Amino acid sequence: MPLHLMTHPELLAVARLDAGEVPTWDWSAGPFASLSHTPHETSVVGLADAIPAGVLSEGPFRAVEVAGPLAFDAVGVMAEILGPLVPAGISVLALSTYDTDWVLVPAGKVDRACEVWRKAGLIITPTILSGRGGA
């Protein structure tokens, strides 16, 4: 069965904070949000328009969700998603949740990525705008 990807229309960004720093803005709204930390940094993924001016960030990105839930022992999901993008020169940020995998695609390259994925046999469907308040 071909992999099914769902594109989300909201614009996201990835912000970098100092190690141990906690975001002071509402970072958890939107179709996908994530807070990760290491001994070296804190990374926040959320709606691009919610990140305050002056905070180091990259974006905008659009989220692409793998229809799930996926089994924890599923093998090759990311390879199937990322493999076709390599020759197309499209770089993404890959993230996972308990239920599924997500990729953040530069907003200006989403249409091209979807075209590449379709040619590779993946199913692509858009999702409706989820709104700022939730997924």
Side-chain angles (χ1 to χ4, degrees), residues 13-75:
V14 181
R16 185 196 189 282
L17 303 175
D18 290 334
E21 188 175 351
V22 177
T24 58
W25 67 90
D26 179 14
W27 60 272
S28 64
F32 183 86
S34 178
L35 178 67
S36 303
H37 72 90
T38 71
H40 309 288
E41 55 139 337
T42 298
S43 291
V44 183
V45 177
L47 292 171
D49 66 1
I51 296 173
V55 173
L56 181 62
S57 65
E58 291 288 332
F61 296 95
R62 295 243 327 264
V64 178
E65 175 185 2
V66 179
L70 298 174
F72 265 88
D73 60 356
V75 176

